[in-house]
Structures are given as C-alpha cells and as structure tokens.
C-alpha cells in the first residue's frame, strides 16, 4: 500500500500559499514538515524514497497550480533536506536526490524554460546538481512510469 503524501502536500500548498508573498520559503517548510512526519510514521511500510519524491512532487505541483516561483521553491525545498536528514536519520544526499526526482516530474509539465530555470537555480545553490537534475528531467519526460521511484 502506498501512502499518498503527494496529494496531501499539493492540497496544503494550493490552499495555504496563493496569497503568501514568501511562498517558496513556506513551500520548503511544508515539505520539511510533511517528509519528516511521513518518513518517521511509515518506516518499514513505505520506502523513504517514495515518500520524499511524492511530497516534493506534491509541493511543486501545488506551486505550479497557484503560479508561484518554481525555481525558488525547488531551492527552498532542497535546502530543507539537511534538517530532514537530522530528524529521520537518512543521508542528506539521498534525500536531495529523491527530492529532485519529485521536482523533475513537475518541471516536465511546466515547460522547457521553467525546467531550465529550475536547473540553473539548483546548480547555483548546490554546485554540481544541475546536470543530475537535467538528467532526471529527461527521464521524467520519457514517461511517468519511468520517472517515479
């Protein structure tokens, strides 16, 4: 059984952030809180990778729905992975990779320019992740079955 944290994250973002000026920061905070609680509560029943990617997909699709800044949101979400790693005792690099998988799935829907802007923002904030993220976007475009963990 898969827990649908993607839908929960999307609904929280879409309902709470439309009027918020600092929506990207709030999106990062929402991702951190949901991932931390979800990973801890589903240990042994759902892979952390599925949970993290799903939450990030949900947060980013919520941001896309309310027409907020996706590059800034992607950076803020990934910046929270260190705090998540301390709370759930998982490698921050793994958490970032799984988060990027979820973000890449949404960027494919947002268009080429947005995808490039997200990749640039991620590379500027986390040196070396731009090419990794771009490859994830290519895989996501190949089809949802291949993109999801």
């Amino acid at each position: 059984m898969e827990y649908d944290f993607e839908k929960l994250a999307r609904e929280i973002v879409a309902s709470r952030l439309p009027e918020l000026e600092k929506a990207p920061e709030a999106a990062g905070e929402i991702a951190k809180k949901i991932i931390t609680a979800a990973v801890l509560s589903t240990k042994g029943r759902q892979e952390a990778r599925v949970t993290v990617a799903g939450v990030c997909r949900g947060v980013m699709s919520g941001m896309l729905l309310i027409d907020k800044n996706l590059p800034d949101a992607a950076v803020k979400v990934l910046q929270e992975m260190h705090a998540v790693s301390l709370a759930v005792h998982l490698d921050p690099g793994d958490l970032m990779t799984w988060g990027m998988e979820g973000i890449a799935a949404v960027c494919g829907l947002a268009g080429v320019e947005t995808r490039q802007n997200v990749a640039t923002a991620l590379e500027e904030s986390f040196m070396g992740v731009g090419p990794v993220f771009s490859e994830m976007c290519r895989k996501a475009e190949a089809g949802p079955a291949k993109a999801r963990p």
Side-chain angles (χ1 to χ4, degrees):
M1 172 184 168
E2 231 180 81
Y3 297 92
D4 194 358
F5 295 112
E6 178 178 351
K7 182 178 178 187
L8 173 68
R10 181 176 50 250
E11 289 176 2
I12 290 172
V13 167
S15 67
R16 295 186 186 173
L17 305 188
E19 305 303 319
L20 202 58
E21 203 173 299
K22 294 189 176 199
E25 289 85 352
E29 192 65 28
I30 288 167
K32 177 178 73 175
K33 288 178 179 177
I34 295 173
I35 290 168
T36 301
V39 167
L40 292 174
S41 67
T42 62
K43 257 190 183 153
R45 294 188 306 265
Q46 179 164 294
E47 283 183 52
R49 177 182 185 168
V50 172
T51 300
V52 173
V55 171
C56 291
R57 255 192 325 274
V59 166
M60 295 300 288
S61 62
M63 294 294 281
L64 180 62
L65 281 171
I66 61 174
D67 198 29
K68 294 292 184 178
N69 187 312
L70 292 184
D72 287 354
V75 168
K76 296 299 181 187
V77 166
L78 292 184
Q79 284 175 340
E80 295 294 348
M81 292 304 162
H82 179 71
V84 170
S85 75
L86 296 175
V88 302
H89 308 291
L90 291 172
D91 181 85
D94 288 342
L95 291 166
M96 285 187 69
T97 299
W98 303 334
M100 285 192 295
E101 288 173 2
I103 293 167
V106 174
C107 286
L109 304 172
V112 174
E113 184 179 341
T114 299
R115 183 178 67 233
Q116 289 171 336
N117 291 341
V118 171
T120 299
L122 291 177
E123 179 63 32
E124 288 172 357
S125 297
F126 311 100
M127 196 165 72
V129 305
V132 174
F133 179 74
S134 294
E135 179 59 28
M136 289 178 179
C137 287
R138 280 191 282 284
K139 287 180 182 175
E141 282 181 2
K146 294 178 186 168
R148 293 195 178 188

